[in-house]
Amino acid sequence: MPLSLSNGHAVCVSLRNVHITSRFWIGRASAVREGALTAIYQQLKDTGRWDNLKLKWKEGDPQKPHRFWDSDIAKWLEAACYSLIDHPDPALAHLVEEAVDLIRGAQQEDGYLNSYYTVVEPGKRWTNIAWSHEMYCAGHLLEAALAHHEYTHSTRLLGPILSYIEHIKTVFGPDMQQKHGYPGHQCLELALIRAYETTQDSSLLSLASYFVEERGRKQPYDKNSETVERHYYDVEADARGEDAFVGPMRRRGDRFEYMQADKPIQEMANEGIRGHSVRAMYWLTAVAGVARLTGDSGLGDAVRRLWENTTEKRMYVTGGLGAVGEWEGFGPDYFFPNETGYLETCAAVGLVFFAHQMLLLDSFKPIYAEVMERALYNGVLVGMSLDGKGFFYDNPLATVEKDMQRSEWFEVACCPPNFSRLLGSLGKYIYTLTSSDTIYVHLYISSVMELKVSSGRSVKIRQDSDQWKGGSTFTLTGDARDLKRLKLGLRRPAGVHKWEIKVSGVDHSNYSINAAATLLYLAYNTVDASATTLSVTVAYDYTPRILRPHPLDSENHGCIAFAKGPFIYCLESVDNSGIADLRSVRVEPKEDIEECLDVEAFKKWDLQVVTLRTKGSVIREEGVERDVELVLVPYFAWANRGRSDLRVWLPVHRGDGMVNSFASNT
Amino acid sequence: MPLSLSNGHAVCVSLRNVHITSRFWIGRASAVREGALTAIYQQLKDTGRWDNLKLKWKEGDPQKPHRFWDSDIAKWLEAACYSLIDHPDPALAHLVEEAVDLIRGAQQEDGYLNSYYTVVEPGKRWTNIAWSHEMYCAGHLLEAALAHHEYTHSTRLLGPILSYIEHIKTVFGPDMQQKHGYPGHQCLELALIRAYETTQDSSLLSLASYFVEERGRKQPYDKNSETVERHYYDVEADARGEDAFVGPMRRRGDRFEYMQADKPIQEMANEGIRGHSVRAMYWLTAVAGVARLTGDSGLGDAVRRLWENTTEKRMYVTGGLGAVGEWEGFGPDYFFPNETGYLETCAAVGLVFFAHQMLLLDSFKPIYAEVMERALYNGVLVGMSLDGKGFFYDNPLATVEKDMQRSEWFEVACCPPNFSRLLGSLGKYIYTLTSSDTIYVHLYISSVMELKVSSGRSVKIRQDSDQWKGGSTFTLTGDARDLKRLKLGLRRPAGVHKWEIKVSGVDHSNYSINAAATLLYLAYNTVDASATTLSVTVAYDYTPRILRPHPLDSENHGCIAFAKGPFIYCLESVDNSGIADLRSVRVEPKEDIEECLDVEAFKKWDLQVVTLRTKGSVIREEGVERDVELVLVPYFAWANRGRSDLRVWLPVHRGDGMVNSFASNT
């Protein structure tokens, strides 16, 4: 058993024991399987990434390898393994084993494993960890190896990768003769935590913990026989005779803020999260994990403060992160530009990881699950087209002149496989379990799951949730003694008015209710003490609702957004063909929004969605207005039906004839 | 006499005949003289630009020259010459002649003159005019030479530069053996027009005209013994074995839209202005000039349409241009992001040039002068600190977290000297004159000016305008026969309620009035036919006024801005110390705005401004509000009194308790 239980923290469930039955999510997963995994593999082949693992590239050859290429293979491999757990596919399985062979073949005798530094810059290993992506690639290889182990139970990949980690452990650490560095692009830290939870090898947790503690600290450094305090990235840059900081935030006088390495995490917690948003999410995921597994309460407090800053002040309404494209990262608090916002798909994926780690750290905080759900259904899901073959890297909340289209691939190819690996492992995020047999329900996704409770026996939970109307039924099957002891933690979804719980076959259940959740002591007093099945029905309503911006959100002053259940809605030109420019739309903030189950709009992809209809008007320069019926679709579904514009926040009509131009500006 | 008069177009006045007496503008010009010219010279020295003209740089030396370095020297030289016309300064004059000597010394035997291609890439002249800045540097050298000629009446610089232009004329042109190219970064075109107006050498106008017509056209090109239509920038890139398009808009699939060379100007006119905004302004300035001087009415119509697109749909309220930082240029129509807008100082400078050329093309369109004034008092003036020693490259309309500070210099150093040369030549922009003796008043700036009218005699105009209250008196002195014939075209300033004109010593004047201007037939019937002085008093009010955004401006929905006379106002933190975050401010759109002549706030710089005071409130997250008195200062004056935030557009209070956050989003 992992340390976590003795600390009272929650544990994660195994993917093998989860089967998603939600029609909505089965559709999304099959798009990954049938679209994305094939499309990404083809790109890995075509761009030379796949075959580069054969280490045959020579100077002058085309397709010069890039430092992060190994990570692209690894992310695809991870996603493919997850997919194979539930959906056997001999052709895909064959490719997976080919990738495993290639990776094994690329490993050097001393355990080192990085195709770029082996073929392009041999002899320069570990000389530039600030920018080399070496540890980032190692992290993704480790995550892929863990997924491969989960899928095959074999150590054919995990073994070699763990020996690569052994090599890294000899190079980096606190000893005098070791390098006191840490990953330039975070990722290895969280992979080490996952590896520790699989292997129980405490040296993996120690290394993760070392990376977390060392990051941003200055170190005594011997320079011209004088000891000075230096940042490790400066130390290694001095050794190369280069300037350490070459990144995109340099213009702002930043030193390593871009990768959250400018100061130790405790100081960072006082100031808020900054820099590159994907790096930040991977980083905080790892910090939360280390805090949980080591019981370091100071670290726990720091990560809680950074969670609050991230989600209360820097998160878009879609769960997207990163207001500033220039450094793909965070802007100031409450700064949410619509058209120019970056909101990288990978950052929303990272926020799901972070929220999940926070749920493991502090189980009963429904807000973590609410953020996770918001990011998943919106900021993440928008990143892939409905057919699984087109991707968005950045996800603004509004466009003008129909200038955004999904791409088949990106030069920096993180988003497509990252999306795929999250969707492939979605089953992990629905529940967590504590040592005192409380099952927390974080996501209302129809599924069947087996959990091993403290007695050592399994309990099966069948969840039937209505994706569009709201409401869930949980059917628990197991030994009567276990059912009697179980507690069910139920999150009250955001914005619901109704919240009623009924337990069948139970005479008297005990509840503990707060505004955001119910903790249900399931079988406190059962009628039939030997019942092996319990049914819990939770009634809640996914009535459409109106969201308003934060008062300091100056981009969206006077606007509202529409939501229903976990979905944020948007206006898309394709559904509102009479409106030439979506910026001319004005809405009324009335609650009588009509719902319509639309089976036609996305029929091509076998997707049914509920669209919203509301009355609005279109304002024109001459001051003339006309009434229109507006059709809104879930944000994630936009940009699948031809070139279109998008708008999430819509201005409320003010009826004061605000019509003007430069020429008549009095 | 230039061609222009015979075409009925207006002519420009000579800087030698203008003396500005406005206290406000004398202050700004002395900041340029005492601050900027010295500061820029020091930077030119320190960065190696100045001494690079000695052509001694060798590979391996520090301070590797850049392709645009010559243009930085040239712009400083131009500004210095303008300053010396009115303000003799032996030390500055000495530096000017040193620069002239250096430039002369850098010229090659065949007339070629570019320090970068002489020392860094010898042998590569004219092989990459798309990106080399070679013609851009030539353009600035020519403008500097014209300024030096205006100041000294000597051809010590103009002579060599015109022989450089002779060299360019042999290389580029329509003949078979010539290169059919045109400047990558526009500038030479407008310089050629100015040179033509000085020298009357029609070959200079022909070259400008050739560049204008050829730009964006595809040419028959012999490739593998097949004739294909190719863009010149592709032709020259093929010859280099490179890809022609490496610029910042590449990601958008653009080919040369960045520098307005993707299509001929007639097609461009159908679609609106795109790409880099400074290049666009220099370009359209030249197109308007060529249209005027050649009488090409098709070209005139194209440039008028592009003027309308630029100023009606793509210009910020401050006269700033360029919504998108990524390519320093235009975004879609009505796209005016506040915090991330680029609004390069040089683009506002370019808009003044463009407006001035439009005034010469179509004299009696007051809107051109209104835009010129708006850009000058706001988008241009904000670019330099009050002491002349600090500069802004980009000029957003709002900031958060006090993250903007003026710089002493920029790697790409266009803005400081560009600002300086415009301010040094401001006298040129106040009036234009037509062949039928109409004097158009474009800017209400106190000054004394001599104009040569059609009789060949001079008329002197003394203008006394009140910068802050509004109202002007024009005293015209000259031969009675001339005064009798003169007409005065008076633009009614934007937003004034009062508009009254009185002419002293005149029994009966004749007026022609439209909404935006008055054309005054001055001395139609004088009492004293021999009067040699006439006084015209124009009463108009610079009462504070409220501006509203265009309905399609989604960034500023529900906001207003404040203006008074030509000045746009802003909220700056330093004057509103009780407000932690300017985004929390709400205003009331009432017209009773209090004015206050503030002699203290900017006393250090001997500047008096009128500040505005209005009632508003500060909203807080908890829903609590408090009333505040807001102090607004002219936009140009912000960022001089320590770190501060800025906000031009301010949300109108709606009183509907729009208080929310992610956590309570129902």
Side-chain angles (χ1 to χ4, degrees):
Chain A
M1 269 299 180
L3 262 178
S4 56
L5 281 187
S6 61
N7 288 349
H9 299 297
V11 286
C12 186
V13 300
S14 161
L15 207 51
R16 286 220 156 256
N17 301 325
V18 191
H19 301 280
I20 289 176
T21 56
S22 151
R23 180 176 168 185
F24 178 82
W25 284 106
I26 285 174
R28 298 299 76 229
S30 80
V32 166
R33 222 165 43 240
E34 288 160 24
L37 289 179
T38 311
I40 297 167
Y41 166 73
Q42 203 53 55
Q43 292 284 355
L44 294 172
K45 275 298 272 189
D46 294 350
T47 58
R49 282 163 164 83
W50 190 270
D51 292 309
N52 185 51
L53 283 168
K54 294 175 186 161
L55 308 182
K56 292 194 175 148
W57 183 88
K58 291 183 307 298
E59 197 62 62
D61 287 355
Q63 295 183 316
K64 186 172 180 177
H66 192 281
R67 291 165 168 181
F68 48 63
W69 274 15
D70 291 357
S71 72
D72 294 328
I73 306 269
K75 273 179 278 190
W76 174 87
L77 185 55
E78 185 185 351
C81 290
Y82 292 148
S83 174
L84 287 164
I85 289 174
D86 231 15
H87 290 87
D89 174 341
L92 184 62
H94 179 80
L95 288 178
V96 160
E97 295 311 319
E98 186 184 323
V100 169
D101 287 336
L102 285 170
I103 294 168
R104 288 169 59 100
Q107 188 161 33
Q108 305 299 295
E109 275 189 19
D110 59 356
Y112 185 82
L113 214 176
N114 182 298
S115 67
Y116 177 86
Y117 279 95
T118 304
V119 299
V120 181
E121 294 200 63
K124 296 211 174 160
R125 285 182 194 182
W126 310 127
T127 57
N128 182 7
I129 58 163
W131 298 103
S132 69
H133 282 65
E134 248 167 324
M135 290 207 199
Y136 173 79
C137 288
H140 276 299
L141 283 172
L142 181 52
E143 291 198 274
L146 292 165
H148 185 257
H149 177 258
E150 198 164 1
Y151 151 51
T152 59
H153 293 302
S154 129
T155 57
R156 220 165 73 78
L157 185 58
L158 186 58
I161 301 302
L162 287 175
S163 81
Y164 179 25
I165 302 299
E166 286 301 315
H167 167 80
I168 292 174
K169 283 196 296 203
T170 64
V171 180
F172 293 90
D175 289 351
M176 273 284 279
Q177 77 286 2
Q178 285 178 300
K179 291 176 192 282
H180 306 323
Y182 37 83
H185 191 315
Q186 301 94 322
C187 175
L188 182 55
E189 303 91 329
L190 69 87
L192 286 167
I193 288 164
R194 291 183 187 169
Y196 162 67
E197 292 186 290
T198 298
T199 65
Q200 299 302 312
D201 173 353
S202 65
S203 75
L204 299 171
L205 178 60
S206 299
L207 184 60
S209 193
Y210 174 74
F211 285 152
V212 165
E213 279 167 31
E214 197 61 37
R215 192 171 198 89
R217 275 204 195 148
K218 289 193 175 164
Q219 326 176 343
Y221 168 67
D222 201 36
K223 196 177 183 179
N224 308 333
S225 65
E226 210 187 332
T227 303
V228 287
E229 293 276 304
R230 298 276 280 159
H231 197 289
Y232 180 75
Y233 294 158
D234 284 320
V235 173
E236 63 166 19
D238 284 352
R240 296 196 309 274
E242 289 175 5
D243 181 10
F245 205 82
V246 293
M249 289 180 81
R250 188 176 49 156
R251 212 163 68 99
R252 294 165 58 91
D254 162 62
R255 290 191 65 74
F256 315 122
E257 183 183 304
Y258 173 67
M259 64 268 266
Q260 297 84 38
D262 54 321
K263 49 177 75 80
I265 183 126
Q266 299 292 357
E267 286 177 41
M268 206 184 293
N270 296 332
E271 299 175 13
I273 191 70
R274 291 171 195 236
H276 189 275
S277 51
V278 179
R279 293 168 193 247
M281 290 303 100
Y282 287 5
W283 167 234
L284 295 178
T285 300
V287 174
V290 169
R292 169 172 58 94
L293 295 168
T294 63
D296 182 333
S297 63
L299 210 53
D301 289 343
V303 78
R304 283 183 195 97
R305 276 191 290 163
L306 287 164
W307 165 272
E308 282 169 17
N309 178 256
T310 302
T311 58
E312 292 175 11
K313 300 186 177 176
R314 309 230 168 152
M315 187 179 80
Y316 280 75
V317 71
T318 55
L321 301 176
V324 184
E326 192 182 341
W327 54 85
E328 304 180 313
F330 293 100
D333 288 347
Y334 308 113
F335 181 58
F336 302 119
N338 292 303
E339 292 87 349
T340 65
Y342 199 67
L343 299 95
E344 185 176 339
T345 304
C346 289
V349 169
L351 180 56
V352 171
F353 296 159
F354 181 23
H356 186 235
Q357 278 296 330
M358 293 305 283
L359 284 168
L360 295 172
L361 178 66
D362 299 330
S363 308
F364 203 44
K365 275 208 175 175
I367 187 68
Y368 298 146
E370 191 182 328
V371 168
M372 184 166 79
E373 182 184 62
R374 183 69 68 91
L376 182 65
Y377 281 86
N378 302 283
V380 172
L381 216 46
V382 71
M384 189 183 78
S385 65
L386 294 176
D387 65 4
K389 292 173 185 168
F391 302 93
F392 274 146
Y393 206 96
D394 48 327
N395 297 285
L397 262 55
T399 62
V400 188
E401 294 191 342
K402 302 181 180 166
D403 68 347
M404 272 200 81
Q405 274 188 300
R406 294 178 191 274
S407 306
E408 289 185 2
W409 188 245
F410 307 98
E411 217 169 310
V412 180
C414 49
C415 298
N418 220 354
F419 179 98
S420 303
R421 72 192 181 112
L422 174 59
L423 252 71
S425 56
L426 184 62
K428 284 187 183 177
Y429 299 90
I430 302 175
Y431 300 97
T432 55
L433 176 68
T434 70
S435 58
S436 53
D437 287 345
T438 305
I439 300 167
Y440 288 111
V441 183
H442 303 304
L443 298 174
Y444 290 102
I445 294 179
S446 298
S447 53
V448 178
M449 191 156 330
E450 258 183 69
L451 293 167
K452 195 168 272 184
V453 294
S454 61
S455 65
R457 289 179 295 264
S458 282
V459 170
K460 195 165 137 186
I461 310 184
R462 178 180 177 87
Q463 179 186 156
D464 291 290
S465 287
D466 191 307
Q467 179 72 69
W468 295 103
K469 287 187 190 158
S472 300
T473 300
F474 296 88
T475 312
L476 291 92
T477 315
D479 189 283
R481 288 164 293 174
D482 292 330
L483 292 190
K484 217 167 169 173
R485 252 200 313 272
L486 281 184
K487 291 180 284 298
L488 202 60
L490 293 159
R491 176 175 63 87
R492 182 178 170 140
V496 300
H497 296 295
K498 195 166 65 176
W499 182 244
E500 292 166 12
I501 297 167
K502 279 185 202 160
V503 184
S504 73
V506 171
D507 180 33
H508 170 214
S509 289
N510 197 1
Y511 297 78
S512 155
I513 300 182
N514 73 22
T518 300
L519 184 61
L520 184 64
Y521 299 83
L522 265 186
Y524 185 73
N525 233 343
T526 54
V527 176
D528 176 1
S530 63
T532 56
T533 296
L534 251 178
S535 171
V536 179
T537 304
V538 193
Y540 55 85
D541 54 306
Y542 279 164
T543 313
R545 62 195 199 278
I546 285 173
L547 308 184
R548 295 177 189 278
H550 190 278
L552 292 180
D553 172 359
S554 62
E555 310 293 316
N556 296 308
H557 173 77
C559 294
I560 58 175
F562 293 84
K564 175 180 159 63
F567 295 107
I568 301 300
Y569 278 69
C570 71
L571 213 56
E572 191 181 359
S573 324
V574 69
D575 303 301
N576 299 276
S577 55
I579 305 170
D581 190 325
L582 295 184
R583 294 176 297 181
S584 64
V585 167
R586 299 291 181 271
V587 291
E588 305 287 344
K590 288 183 189 156
E591 299 276 350
D592 59 336
I593 304 155
E594 199 186 321
E595 298 180 64
C596 169
L597 183 69
D598 193 330
V599 295
E600 288 303 321
F602 301 98
K603 196 175 183 176
K604 188 173 162 190
W605 304 279
D606 195 26
L607 173 70
Q608 297 186 356
V609 305
V610 171
T611 58
L612 304 183
R613 277 149 210 269
T614 187
K615 291 206 185 328
S617 54
V618 171
I619 196 163
R620 296 188 217 164
E621 207 165 335
E622 316 82 59
V624 186
E625 279 176 42
R626 64 185 169 87
D627 291 338
V628 284
E629 188 183 58
L630 301 169
V631 179
L632 296 118
V633 295
Y635 170 69
F636 83 87
W638 97 278
N640 281 288
R641 295 168 294 159
R643 285 200 100 115
S644 208
D645 269 329
L646 154 81
R647 198 150 285 265
V648 170
W649 289 105
L650 300 171
V652 171
H653 195 267
R654 299 161 51 84
D656 57 355
M658 193 189 295
V659 174
N660 227 306
S661 71
F662 169 77
S664 56
N665 51 19
T666 58
Chain B
M1 268 298 179
L3 261 177
S4 56
L5 281 186
S6 62
N7 288 348
H9 297 297
V11 286
C12 185
V13 301
S14 161
L15 206 53
R16 285 220 156 259
N17 301 325
V18 190
H19 300 281
I20 289 176
T21 56
S22 151
R23 180 175 168 185
F24 178 82
W25 284 106
I26 285 175
R28 298 300 74 230
S30 79
V32 166
R33 223 166 41 243
E34 288 159 25
L37 288 179
T38 311
I40 297 167
Y41 167 73
Q42 202 53 53
Q43 292 285 353
L44 293 173
K45 274 299 269 190
D46 293 349
T47 58
R49 283 162 164 83
W50 191 271
D51 292 308
N52 185 52
L53 284 168
K54 295 174 187 162
L55 308 182
K56 293 196 175 148
W57 184 87
K58 291 182 309 297
E59 196 64 61
D61 286 356
Q63 294 183 317
K64 186 171 179 175
H66 193 280
R67 291 164 166 181
F68 47 65
W69 273 14
D70 291 357
S71 72
D72 295 328
I73 305 269
K75 273 178 279 190
W76 174 87
L77 185 55
E78 185 185 349
C81 291
Y82 292 148
S83 173
L84 287 165
I85 290 174
D86 230 16
H87 290 87
D89 173 342
L92 183 62
H94 179 80
L95 287 179
V96 160
E97 295 312 319
E98 185 183 325
V100 169
D101 287 336
L102 285 171
I103 293 169
R104 288 170 60 100
Q107 188 161 32
Q108 305 298 296
E109 276 190 16
D110 60 356
Y112 185 82
L113 213 176
N114 181 296
S115 68
Y116 177 86
Y117 278 96
T118 305
V119 300
V120 181
E121 295 201 62
K124 296 211 174 159
R125 285 181 193 183
W126 310 124
T127 57
N128 182 7
I129 59 162
W131 298 103
S132 69
H133 283 65
E134 248 168 321
M135 291 210 199
Y136 172 79
C137 288
H140 276 299
L141 283 172
L142 182 52
E143 291 200 273
L146 291 165
H148 185 256
H149 177 257
E150 198 165 1
Y151 150 52
T152 58
H153 294 302
S154 130
T155 57
R156 220 166 73 79
L157 185 58
L158 186 58
I161 301 301
L162 287 174
S163 82
Y164 180 25
I165 302 297
E166 285 302 315
H167 167 79
I168 292 175
K169 283 196 296 204
T170 64
V171 180
F172 293 91
D175 290 351
M176 273 285 277
Q177 76 287 0
Q178 284 179 301
K179 291 177 191 281
H180 306 323
Y182 37 84
H185 191 315
Q186 300 95 321
C187 176
L188 181 55
E189 303 90 330
L190 69 88
L192 286 167
I193 288 164
R194 291 184 187 169
Y196 162 68
E197 293 186 290
T198 298
T199 64
Q200 298 303 312
D201 172 354
S202 64
S203 76
L204 298 171
L205 178 59
S206 298
L207 184 61
S209 195
Y210 174 75
F211 286 152
V212 165
E213 278 167 31
E214 197 59 39
R215 191 171 199 88
R217 276 204 195 148
K218 289 190 176 168
Q219 327 177 343
Y221 167 67
D222 201 36
K223 196 179 183 180
N224 306 333
S225 66
E226 209 185 333
T227 304
V228 288
E229 293 276 304
R230 299 274 281 160
H231 197 288
Y232 179 76
Y233 294 158
D234 284 320
V235 173
E236 63 165 18
D238 284 353
R240 297 195 310 272
E242 288 176 3
D243 181 12
F245 205 83
V246 294
M249 289 180 82
R250 188 175 50 154
R251 211 162 68 99
R252 295 166 57 92
D254 161 64
R255 290 191 66 74
F256 316 123
E257 182 182 305
Y258 173 67
M259 63 268 266
Q260 298 86 36
D262 54 321
K263 49 178 75 80
I265 184 130
Q266 299 291 357
E267 286 177 42
M268 206 183 295
N270 297 331
E271 299 175 14
I273 191 71
R274 291 171 195 238
H276 189 274
S277 51
V278 178
R279 293 167 192 249
M281 289 305 99
Y282 288 4
W283 167 234
L284 295 178
T285 300
V287 174
V290 171
R292 169 172 57 95
L293 295 169
T294 63
D296 181 334
S297 63
L299 210 54
D301 289 344
V303 78
R304 284 182 194 97
R305 277 193 287 164
L306 288 164
W307 165 272
E308 281 171 15
N309 178 255
T310 302
T311 58
E312 292 175 11
K313 300 185 178 176
R314 308 226 168 157
M315 187 180 80
Y316 280 74
V317 71
T318 54
L321 300 176
V324 184
E326 193 182 339
W327 54 86
E328 303 179 316
F330 294 100
D333 287 348
Y334 308 113
F335 180 59
F336 302 118
N338 292 304
E339 292 88 348
T340 65
Y342 199 67
L343 300 95
E344 185 176 339
T345 304
C346 290
V349 169
L351 180 57
V352 171
F353 297 159
F354 182 23
H356 186 235
Q357 279 296 330
M358 293 305 284
L359 284 168
L360 295 172
L361 178 66
D362 299 332
S363 306
F364 204 44
K365 276 208 174 175
I367 187 68
Y368 298 147
E370 191 183 328
V371 167
M372 184 166 80
E373 182 184 62
R374 183 70 67 91
L376 181 64
Y377 281 85
N378 302 282
V380 172
L381 216 45
V382 70
M384 190 184 78
S385 65
L386 295 176
D387 64 4
K389 294 174 184 167
F391 303 92
F392 274 145
Y393 206 96
D394 48 326
N395 296 285
L397 262 55
T399 63
V400 188
E401 293 192 342
K402 303 180 179 167
D403 68 349
M404 273 199 80
Q405 274 188 299
R406 294 178 191 274
S407 305
E408 290 186 0
W409 187 245
F410 306 98
E411 217 171 309
V412 180
C414 48
C415 297
N418 222 353
F419 179 99
S420 302
R421 73 194 181 112
L422 174 60
L423 253 73
S425 57
L426 183 62
K428 283 187 182 177
Y429 300 90
I430 301 175
Y431 300 97
T432 56
L433 175 69
T434 72
S435 56
S436 54
D437 287 347
T438 305
I439 300 166
Y440 288 111
V441 182
H442 303 303
L443 298 174
Y444 290 103
I445 293 180
S446 298
S447 53
V448 178
M449 190 156 331
E450 257 183 69
L451 294 166
K452 194 168 272 184
V453 295
S454 60
S455 65
R457 289 180 295 266
S458 282
V459 170
K460 194 166 138 186
I461 309 184
R462 176 179 179 86
Q463 181 188 154
D464 291 289
S465 288
D466 190 307
Q467 179 71 69
W468 294 103
K469 286 187 190 159
S472 299
T473 300
F474 296 87
T475 312
L476 292 92
T477 315
D479 189 283
R481 290 164 291 174
D482 293 329
L483 292 190
K484 218 167 170 173
R485 250 198 313 273
L486 281 184
K487 292 181 282 300
L488 202 59
L490 293 159
R491 175 175 63 88
R492 182 180 170 139
V496 300
H497 297 294
K498 195 167 64 177
W499 182 244
E500 292 166 12
I501 297 168
K502 280 186 201 161
V503 184
S504 73
V506 172
D507 179 32
H508 170 213
S509 289
N510 196 1
Y511 298 78
S512 155
I513 300 183
N514 74 21
T518 299
L519 184 62
L520 185 64
Y521 299 84
L522 267 184
Y524 186 73
N525 231 346
T526 55
V527 174
D528 176 1
S530 64
T532 56
T533 296
L534 251 177
S535 171
V536 179
T537 304
V538 193
Y540 54 85
D541 54 306
Y542 279 163
T543 313
R545 62 195 199 277
I546 285 173
L547 307 184
R548 296 178 187 278
H550 190 277
L552 292 180
D553 172 359
S554 61
E555 309 293 316
N556 296 310
H557 173 76
C559 295
I560 57 175
F562 294 85
K564 174 181 162 63
F567 295 106
I568 302 298
Y569 277 69
C570 71
L571 213 55
E572 192 182 359
S573 324
V574 68
D575 302 301
N576 298 275
S577 55
I579 304 171
D581 190 325
L582 295 183
R583 294 177 296 180
S584 64
V585 167
R586 298 293 181 271
V587 291
E588 303 287 343
K590 288 185 189 155
E591 300 275 351
D592 57 338
I593 303 155
E594 198 187 321
E595 299 180 63
C596 169
L597 182 69
D598 194 329
V599 296
E600 288 302 322
F602 302 97
K603 194 173 184 178
K604 187 173 162 190
W605 303 280
D606 195 26
L607 173 70
Q608 295 186 357
V609 304
V610 171
T611 59
L612 304 182
R613 279 149 210 267
T614 186
K615 291 207 187 326
S617 54
V618 171
I619 196 163
R620 297 189 215 164
E621 206 164 336
E622 316 83 60
V624 186
E625 280 176 41
R626 64 186 170 87
D627 291 338
V628 284
E629 188 183 58
L630 300 169
V631 179
L632 296 118
V633 295
Y635 171 68
F636 83 87
W638 97 277
N640 280 288
R641 295 167 293 161
R643 284 200 101 113
S644 208
D645 268 329
L646 154 81
R647 197 150 285 264
V648 169
W649 289 105
L650 301 171
V652 171
H653 195 269
R654 299 162 52 83
D656 58 355
M658 194 190 296
V659 175
N660 228 306
S661 71
F662 169 78
S664 54
N665 52 19
T666 56

